[in-house]
């Protein structure tokens, strides 16, 4: 029997946003940065379901963007919440907030948790203009996530290497300050954490990463396929989550790469679904 697959990093948008793409680019710099180029793909919930069916993916985590305003977060969260309600067996939802508006963010976290969201993200601290090391801002936000048992997903990027739209500046040092302050908080660092796993070879860093996961979103655009095995060695295969970054990449491309790497079958099964099932408490 083929192992189950859960894709932990995908983006969907409502037909209304897709239709009015240009208008939303004018309203939000994060959306504009990623989708100003008309070739950058956008997908609806129905499109991802069709794509999951053809790629052999049972469940996907649909994550929002780090919109700069609370209004745009709430508007787009509605679509994530409607989509998970329509496809409860196929889709898991992550909603977005603007942590700078503390009260609005806490109320929105509450609303999304009640409606079944499992997490908040994909945060873009650089473009949403808040500082992950600002304890006065971050502590009430983290408290709200803890209260509702939500997982946090943040974008992450490499301090070196080629540039790409949306790369940003959420580098391992910035992530580490935040992570070490809230060691009990389950955090997913996207795109292999911008290289943070390397530092898990330092014992104190390894310890601080106890509740941190790394996703593989967009991996073929960033690293050689050896990354799967090497990060598994550095942080443990139990800390890696398969994510495609669909529709930026077709799920099958990342899956093929992951299936071809020299991991043990047990480690591959953890990355493809086992870790996500544990993190999101998914029963059979
Ligand atoms: Zn990202």
């Amino acid at each position: 029997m083929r192992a189950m697959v859960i894709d932990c990093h995908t983006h969907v948008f409502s037909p209304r946003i897709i239709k009015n793409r240009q208008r939303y680019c004018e309203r939000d710099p994060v959306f504009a940065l990623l989708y100003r180029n008309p070739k950058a793909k956008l997908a609806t919930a129905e499109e991802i379901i069709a794509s999951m069916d053809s790629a052999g993916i049972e469940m996907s985590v649909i994550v929002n963007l780090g919109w700069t305003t609370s209004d745009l977060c709430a508007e787009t969260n509605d679509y994530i919440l409607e989509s998970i309600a329509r496809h409860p067996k196929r889709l898991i939802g992550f909603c977005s907030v603007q942590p700078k508006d503390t009260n609005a963010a806490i109320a929105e976290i509450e609303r999304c948790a009640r409606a079944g969201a499992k997490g908040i993200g994909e945060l873009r601290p650089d473009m949403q203009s808040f500082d992950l090391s600002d304890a006065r801002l971050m502590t009430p936000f983290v408290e709200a996530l803890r209260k509702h048992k939500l997982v946090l997903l943040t974008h992450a990027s490499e301090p070196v290497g080629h540039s790409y739209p949306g790369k940003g500046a959420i580098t391992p040092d910035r992530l580490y300050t935040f992570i070490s302050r809230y060691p009990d908080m389950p955090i997913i660092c996207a795109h292999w954490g911008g290289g943070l796993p390397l530092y898990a070879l330092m014992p104190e860093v390894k310890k601080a990463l106890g509740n941190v996961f790394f996703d593989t979103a967009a991996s073929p655009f960033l690293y050689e396929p050896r990354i799967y095995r090497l990060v598994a060695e550095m942080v443990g295969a139990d800390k890696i989550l398969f994510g495609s970054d669909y529709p930026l990449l077709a799920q099958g491309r990342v899956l093929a790469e992951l299936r071809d790497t020299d991991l043990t079958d047990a480690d591959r099964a953890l990355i493809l679904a086992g870790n996500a099932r544990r993190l999101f408490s998914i029963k059979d």
Side-chain angles (χ1 to χ4, degrees), residues 9 11 34 65 122-124 153-156 164 166-167 190-191 215 217-218 245:
H9 191 138
H11 295 279
L34 296 167
L65 280 192
E122 178 180 8
L123 231 52
R124 289 285 328 206
L153 168 69
T154 175
H155 178 75
Y164 46 89
K167 178 166 180 164
H191 320 294
D215 81 30
D245 221 352

Side-chain angles (χ1 to χ4, degrees), residues 7-36:
D7 184 345
C8 289
H9 191 138
T10 70
H11 295 279
V12 301
F13 294 96
S14 67
R16 181 188 146 106
I17 292 202
I18 296 175
K19 195 166 146 240
N20 299 291
R21 179 176 183 138
Q22 194 46 45
R23 198 169 350 127
Y24 283 91
C25 282
E26 283 154 26
R27 286 177 69 188
D28 193 279
V30 178
F31 187 77
L33 180 71
L34 296 167
Y35 300 111
R36 186 192 296 127

Side-chain angles (χ1 to χ4, degrees), residues 112-135:
C112 295
R114 289 228 168 89
K118 297 268 190 178
I120 293 296
E122 178 180 8
L123 231 52
R124 289 285 328 206
D126 50 354
M127 301 227 26
Q128 290 181 296
S129 321
F130 65 88
D131 183 354
L132 281 174
S133 65
D134 178 353

Side-chain angles (χ1 to χ4, degrees), residues 61-184:
V61 182
I62 51 171
V63 313
N64 205 340
L65 280 192
W67 298 87
T68 50
T69 66
S70 294
D71 283 354
L72 281 167
C73 289
E75 180 191 328
T76 49
N77 288 341
D78 283 346
Y79 184 67
I80 304 260
L81 297 171
E82 279 164 41
S83 302
I84 61 172
R86 244 189 349 265
H87 304 282
K89 295 213 149 63
R90 306 298 304 279
L91 301 178
I92 295 166
F94 269 45
C95 292
S96 221
V97 295
Q98 168 50 282
K100 279 201 297 186
D101 298 339
T102 303
N103 292 337
I106 289 172
E108 186 65 0
I109 288 170
E110 195 126 4
R111 178 179 86 96
C112 295
R114 289 228 168 89
K118 297 268 190 178
I120 293 296
E122 178 180 8
L123 231 52
R124 289 285 328 206
D126 50 354
M127 301 227 26
Q128 290 181 296
S129 321
F130 65 88
D131 183 354
L132 281 174
S133 65
D134 178 353
R136 246 185 41 197
L137 193 64
M138 288 294 105
T139 300
F141 168 69
V142 170
E143 286 300 330
L145 297 177
R146 276 186 188 129
K147 181 173 157 200
H148 297 288
K149 300 194 164 40
L150 296 174
V151 175
L152 180 65
L153 168 69
T154 175
H155 178 75
S157 57
E158 315 71 37
V160 296
H162 68 281
S163 174
Y164 46 89
K167 178 166 180 164
I170 309 157
T171 45
D173 49 342
R174 294 193 174 177
L175 293 168
Y176 187 69
T177 311
F178 178 75
I179 287 164
S180 44
R181 185 172 281 145
Y182 309 106
D184 63 312

